[in-house]
Amino acid sequence: MKKLVVLPVLALMLCAGMKSEVMAEEKKTYVPETPKLESDVMTPEVLWSFGQLGNAELSPDGKTVLYAVTYYHIEENKSYRELYTIPAKGGESKQITHTALKESGAQWRPDGQKIGYLYAKDGETQLWEMNPDGSDAVQITEIEGGITGFKYSPDQNHILYTKAVKLDDDIHDLFPDLPKANARLENDLMYRHWDSWHDYTYNHIFIADYGKGNISEGLDILEGQKYSSPDKPFDGLDQIAWSPDSKQIVYSCKKLTGKAYSLSTNTDLYRYDLETGSTENLTEENKGYDKSPLFSPDGTKLAWTSMARDGYEADQTRLFVMDLKTGEKTNYSEGWEQHAGHLSWSADSKSLFFISNIHATDEIYQLNLKDGEIKRLTDGVHNYQMAIELPDGKLLAQKVSMSQPAELYVVNPKNGKDEPLTAVNKGLLDQLEMGAVEERWVKTVDDKDMHMWVIYPPHFDPNKKYPTLLYCQGGPQGTVSQFWSTRWNFQMMAANGYIVVAPNRRGLPGFGMEWLEQISKDYGGLNIQDYLVAIDELAKEPFVDNERLGAVGASYGGFSVNYLAGHHEGRFSAFISHCGIFNFDQMYVTTEEMWFENWDIGGPYWDKSNQVAQRSYSFSPHLFVEKWDTPILVIHGEKDFRIPYTQGMGAFNAAVLRDVPAQFLYFPEENHWVTSAQNGIVWQRVFKQWLDKWLKK
């Protein structure tokens, strides 16, 4: 391992300077006051005023919870993230940071004496540490180019950190005499992903000595390798784990590049030994995803999540455990049709807690390793997002619902009951009237049972008739569960005066693998019929105005809207399609993750001998534009590389050329989502204006 050169005097000067700056910043506050509302019905501005809680971490002694809250300042069109602590047994929360910049990646040092976090004081993100009360902030790393994440070794002798490493030549490397050239020269696929062009860098893991002064460099354990860990674009530090004895690291990585990378989901778990520098593939036999490694507290076992089939990103997420002494691997999901995620070990290493979706809610489960029994611990109208065992055997959990943003709770695993720990948004929620959320089951065209949610407007009057929206889910394999969003927020839609029906149609998890897998290669088939059944069933209610029905959705839901526009047989009076597929042929050759297209569509459009694929392409919405006759709002972001914005242009242009009333809401700086406050409010306002124009006439 590379040794570090420390300048003690300089380090002391830096610490003193940084301490005084933090003290000055503590005189300010960047957390907005809870607004006093003029109405108890939610508005887009109120929706973007909620604090967004996340990144909860339990202190090593189990007594204190560290968490972050992100707040949006609408006028400034920016967000602030602050750190808080609260006693695990309940009590007052304490804000421990007060800065204009976002603290992220916060975690307890293993001895509990410090909190480490990422902070970009001078433009480069570095590791900082502070006391648990927020005092005495000190910069720990001085890594050139900054870092993207870190983890302490359990013995505190090392840290690992991640950073972007440039390994590919850009246009200026190729032609150094042309410094003002602005071009790219591509030779392979995956030159852009999700919302970013390949920046010629790869995420690498570094190991450095800790506790011997400021850290300026570490050992790159992927040196020279054109692979990323954590994998881009969404994987985080949960894909890297220290062994309890601090002698090994296990990390998830897809060691493929270019076209091969775009065609495969085959990530593996690799074990790196600090003493020998050797790396071993632990999951070479498995050809799908292997992710989220987690050592047991006693160091004898490794747990992780795994998918069996290469190229199928919606395969069952199975729970695996490896005996590190014998090498034996056990699939504890065998014979069980649900997904497992967000794993955490019990303190005695005898069981695992995890989250799984069942019938459109995310619940806490416990696996007993001795007998393999999987036990459901909670039941309710909610989504749990994590569960960590507390010293008294209860669970620290994060919970969200359609009617409340995420908060922290303490759950009793014996009876599933929970008690709130935080109340980040109580001031706003106390002023609002939320619409009722109702669970229903209906029969499909092939006589199967389908679950759906019905969300009613606040102050609902069953003696009135309401315009009603069919919500079409994206994914396509993403459950319509109890989620909260600043965009597809069911309470916001209901607050606009609409009843919303949100069916868990074919292709969604939580209802068995047969239900989940039916949608692949059948985009225009049974799941579309499921949508029509859902709206037809609700339209029978006396409080639904079946002359004022709309259909809305994003991504696969946007495709669904585009397809329904040519097949709805006069049911709907308005459509909204956000980032929806319009032309399957163009989608196949302009998207980035080819494994997705090949699995769900069946192959390229030019393979005329592939009848499965040819059937899929026959569902392309652009083939049915001659039947479009209903007003449609099309929304798209330019940085959406999953479904390129030209798909939205195609749908809008076709509608206008057909003389169908249409609007195109285009965001040059947004991706598949809408992430900035003012753009988000524009989205909500235009969404409402369009529906009101055609459904409230």
Side-chain angles (χ1 to χ4, degrees), residues 18-56:
M18 286 179 284
K19 180 177 178 179
S20 63
E21 177 173 334
V22 172
M23 290 174 64
E25 287 182 325
E26 286 178 349
K27 297 178 182 178
K28 304 177 183 178
T29 180
Y30 297 91
V31 177
E33 293 185 4
T34 300
K36 183 175 177 57
L37 307 184
E38 297 179 358
S39 168
D40 65 357
V41 177
M42 189 156 57
T43 66
E45 292 76 16
V46 173
L47 178 61
W48 278 89
S49 297
F50 284 104
Q52 299 180 7
L53 181 148
N55 306 114

Side-chain angles (χ1 to χ4, degrees), residues 467 495-498 548 688 690-697:
N496 289 335
Y498 294 89
R548 295 187 294 163
K688 180 182 186 299
W690 182 258
L691 293 176
D692 287 355
K693 179 177 181 178
W694 300 104
L695 300 183
K696 290 187 178 180
K697 292 191 292 185

Side-chain angles (χ1 to χ4, degrees), residues 562 565 582 625-626 628-634 648-664 690:
N562 291 339
F582 175 68
V625 168
E626 74 277 4
W628 285 22
D629 58 5
T630 302
I632 185 168
L633 167 65
V634 178
M649 289 176 59
F652 170 71
N653 292 0
V656 172
L657 291 169
R658 286 275 304 148
D659 293 323
V660 174
Q663 280 189 335
F664 184 38
W690 182 258

Side-chain angles (χ1 to χ4, degrees), residues 338 356-363 365 376 378-379 509-511:
Q338 294 174 225
S356 182
N357 183 273
I358 177 69
H359 293 172
T361 64
D362 291 348
E363 306 294 349
Y365 287 75
R376 178 174 173 175
T378 59
D379 186 8
F511 303 90

Side-chain angles (χ1 to χ4, degrees), residues 293-349:
L294 196 64
F295 284 93
S296 60
D298 64 9
T300 64
K301 295 174 281 290
L302 181 75
W304 72 95
T305 60
S306 175
M307 293 185 184
R309 289 170 281 186
D310 190 10
Y312 186 23
E313 68 175 23
D315 202 357
Q316 182 188 16
T317 306
R318 306 168 299 169
L319 198 167
F320 267 75
V321 176
M322 178 181 181
D323 184 313
L324 293 171
K325 184 176 181 179
T326 66
E328 181 183 2
K329 301 168 187 172
T330 303
N331 172 15
Y332 283 98
S333 295
E334 192 166 355
W336 193 67
E337 290 204 338
Q338 294 174 225
H339 296 286
H342 305 283
L343 312 182
S344 68
W345 282 98
S346 62
D348 61 10
S349 300

Side-chain angles (χ1 to χ4, degrees), residues 219-398:
L219 175 70
D220 183 354
I221 70 172
L222 290 166
E223 187 171 7
Q225 299 180 42
K226 294 185 177 183
Y227 314 123
S228 283
S229 182
D231 196 24
K232 295 181 179 182
F234 299 125
D235 282 355
L237 269 291
D238 59 332
Q239 301 305 319
I240 309 170
W242 278 104
S243 62
D245 63 8
S246 302
K247 294 180 180 180
Q248 297 176 336
I249 291 169
V250 172
Y251 62 93
S252 173
C253 186
K254 181 162 57 169
K255 295 195 173 182
L256 298 168
T257 59
K259 177 182 175 182
Y261 184 102
S262 77
L263 293 169
S264 175
T265 58
N266 188 17
T267 57
D268 281 313
L269 299 185
Y270 294 87
R271 179 166 55 188
Y272 175 82
D273 187 280
L274 270 68
E275 182 177 349
T276 66
S278 62
T279 300
E280 175 189 6
N281 187 342
L282 299 178
T283 57
E284 189 170 7
E285 73 284 353
N286 187 58
K287 301 306 178 185
Y289 279 130
D290 290 294
K291 287 180 175 278
S292 305
L294 196 64
F295 284 93
S296 60
D298 64 9
T300 64
K301 295 174 281 290
L302 181 75
W304 72 95
T305 60
S306 175
M307 293 185 184
R309 289 170 281 186
D310 190 10
Y312 186 23
E313 68 175 23
D315 202 357
Q316 182 188 16
T317 306
R318 306 168 299 169
L319 198 167
F320 267 75
V321 176
M322 178 181 181
D323 184 313
L324 293 171
K325 184 176 181 179
T326 66
E328 181 183 2
K329 301 168 187 172
T330 303
N331 172 15
Y332 283 98
S333 295
E334 192 166 355
W336 193 67
E337 290 204 338
Q338 294 174 225
H339 296 286
H342 305 283
L343 312 182
S344 68
W345 282 98
S346 62
D348 61 10
S349 300
K350 294 180 179 179
S351 67
L352 279 156
F353 300 99
F354 63 94
I355 307 298
S356 182
N357 183 273
I358 177 69
H359 293 172
T361 64
D362 291 348
E363 306 294 349
I364 303 173
Y365 287 75
Q366 184 176 15
L367 164 68
N368 185 314
L369 294 182
K370 185 176 181 179
D371 58 15
E373 179 189 8
I374 294 176
K375 181 181 180 182
R376 178 174 173 175
L377 302 182
T378 59
D379 186 8
V381 183
H382 51 230
N383 278 3
Y384 281 104
Q385 298 174 314
M386 52 151 271
I388 301 171
E389 189 177 46
L390 294 166
D392 62 2
K394 292 183 179 179
L395 302 173
L396 170 68
Q398 185 168 304

